[in-house]
Amino acid sequence: MTRSRTAAVLAVAAVLPALLTGCSDLNPGSSRPSARTEGTSTGADATRETTLEAARETSKTARRTVPARRAAAAPVRVPAGVTAGYAVVDVTTGKTVAQRQAHHRFRSASVVKILIAADYLERHKGTIPAGDLALLTPMLRGSDDDAATALWRRGGQGEIVRRMARRIGLTETSPPPAAKPGFWGYTAISAADIALVYRYLLRRAEPRVRDFVLGNLRKASQCARDGFDQFFGIPRAVPRPWAIKQGWSGYGAVPPVKCTRARTASYRIAPVTMGGNPVDFGRPVLHTTGVIGDRLIMVVLTLQPSGASFTQSAERVTKLARDLYLSVA
């Protein structure tokens, strides 16, 4: 019982004897004459009324202080034919508040660009040269593939992933297959690991690294450099503010609704097993990841049905992200 409820009970108990005595005035069998006339009250009556009013107010306060029980959230359902791994983490506590197959590995597509940028900034102190800034900014905001390729090669390709995995403590993130060292989008990731990447940026990275990476992700453009609309999932499912890094692969070089001229090709190879945890490089992937406000990290990684269109995949991921957000908001 809370203190406010206890106070309410004590207050009522204190006036109960007086109330019982007063009832005799209304009892036809009572020989005690009533001193009450309409519109008047005795001092005892006034005291009782004051005490009762205080008790009622205390009771109201007690009811208001009891937190309303939140209605049960609808279950989060993964669409048929979709393989999904997701994780939602409370930024303040670091506690995972929702997860499903959070350790399942997917190919990263453009999500790895967060690691490419963070690795560059960790290794290069001081002012960023204008030429490098012209690569980093569009890579983070518009998911520029050409910029990512240039920085990937300069950083040692797979060594970028190994360095960041060691620094952050990622256990399910690894470089692309040896046969495809230049394919940064074939880096293996998991929802749990990418959630750790965001938590690292928020809590452990140097302020200049955190501010640059997240600052640009907060300014993500709707149209990516390859012409695809990257406002699926988090951007359309949850309220601002957010900082996002999206990923997509396997939908060809031409977007269904063209924002700008598409310049990159889509590559497909057969599924590859890495360390006993399979990574499918054949089916299309669509990922939405980011920080929502200042309290949640959300990572949703999906493997879509073979032959799925970009538009259909985007709708499925957006609904999944919305349902997931509503389940924890």
Side-chain angles (χ1 to χ4, degrees), residues 33 80 138 199 254 265 267:
R199 186 158 173 78
V254 180
Y267 300 97

Side-chain angles (χ1 to χ4, degrees), residues 19-30 32-36 48:
L19 288 174
L20 293 175
T21 302
C23 287
S24 62
D25 292 344
L26 305 178
N27 185 349
S30 172
R32 181 180 176 182
S34 174
R36 186 180 304 165
R48 285 197 299 272

Side-chain angles (χ1 to χ4, degrees), residues 121-122 125 128 200-216 218:
L121 294 167
E122 299 280 8
K125 309 297 182 181
I128 302 173
Y200 169 80
L201 290 171
L202 288 166
R203 297 296 183 186
R204 293 167 49 202
E206 295 178 40
R208 65 183 188 86
V209 176
R210 176 196 65 216
D211 294 344
F212 184 87
V213 175
L214 293 180
N216 278 290
R218 290 189 183 98

Side-chain angles (χ1 to χ4, degrees), residues 130-277:
D132 292 350
L133 193 62
L135 295 174
L136 290 163
T137 301
M139 181 183 72
L140 291 173
R141 295 187 189 184
S143 204
D144 190 300
D145 291 344
D146 293 340
T149 298
L151 293 167
W152 178 258
R153 290 171 178 167
R154 285 169 44 185
Q157 300 186 132
E159 287 303 313
I160 293 173
V161 177
R162 294 186 184 94
R163 283 192 295 265
M164 293 308 296
R166 287 193 298 268
R167 180 181 292 273
I168 300 175
L170 309 178
T171 59
E172 291 144 358
T173 299
S174 58
K180 302 287 184 181
F183 285 45
W184 41 260
Y186 288 171
T187 297
I189 61 172
S190 70
D193 269 6
I194 296 303
L196 281 177
V197 171
Y198 280 110
R199 186 158 173 78
Y200 169 80
L201 290 171
L202 288 166
R203 297 296 183 186
R204 293 167 49 202
E206 295 178 40
R208 65 183 188 86
V209 176
R210 176 196 65 216
D211 294 344
F212 184 87
V213 175
L214 293 180
N216 278 290
L217 296 186
R218 290 189 183 98
K219 297 177 181 178
S221 58
Q222 179 172 349
C223 295
R225 285 296 182 98
D226 64 0
F228 282 83
D229 183 341
Q230 62 173 347
F231 273 18
F232 56 84
I234 292 172
R236 285 201 170 94
V238 308
R240 286 180 182 267
W242 36 250
I244 58 162
K245 186 68 205 79
Q246 313 284 70
W248 58 95
S249 175
Y251 298 98
V254 180
V257 179
K258 202 171 182 179
C259 297
T260 58
R261 182 184 174 90
R263 298 179 301 163
T264 58
S266 174
Y267 300 97
R268 295 173 183 265
I269 63 175
V272 176
T273 298
M274 302 170 68
N277 194 340

Side-chain angles (χ1 to χ4, degrees), residues 298-315:
M298 180 184 288
V299 180
V300 180
L301 309 180
T302 71
L303 193 63
Q304 298 289 322
S306 297
S309 72
F310 181 84
T311 300
Q312 291 172 334
S313 299
E315 290 173 353

Side-chain angles (χ1 to χ4, degrees), residues 75-104:
V76 178
R77 291 188 173 89
V78 175
V82 173
T83 300
Y86 59 71
V88 181
V89 177
D90 184 293
V91 169
T92 302
T93 65
K95 180 181 178 182
T96 300
V97 295
Q99 63 177 322
R100 174 192 174 94
Q101 296 194 95
H103 301 285
H104 185 86

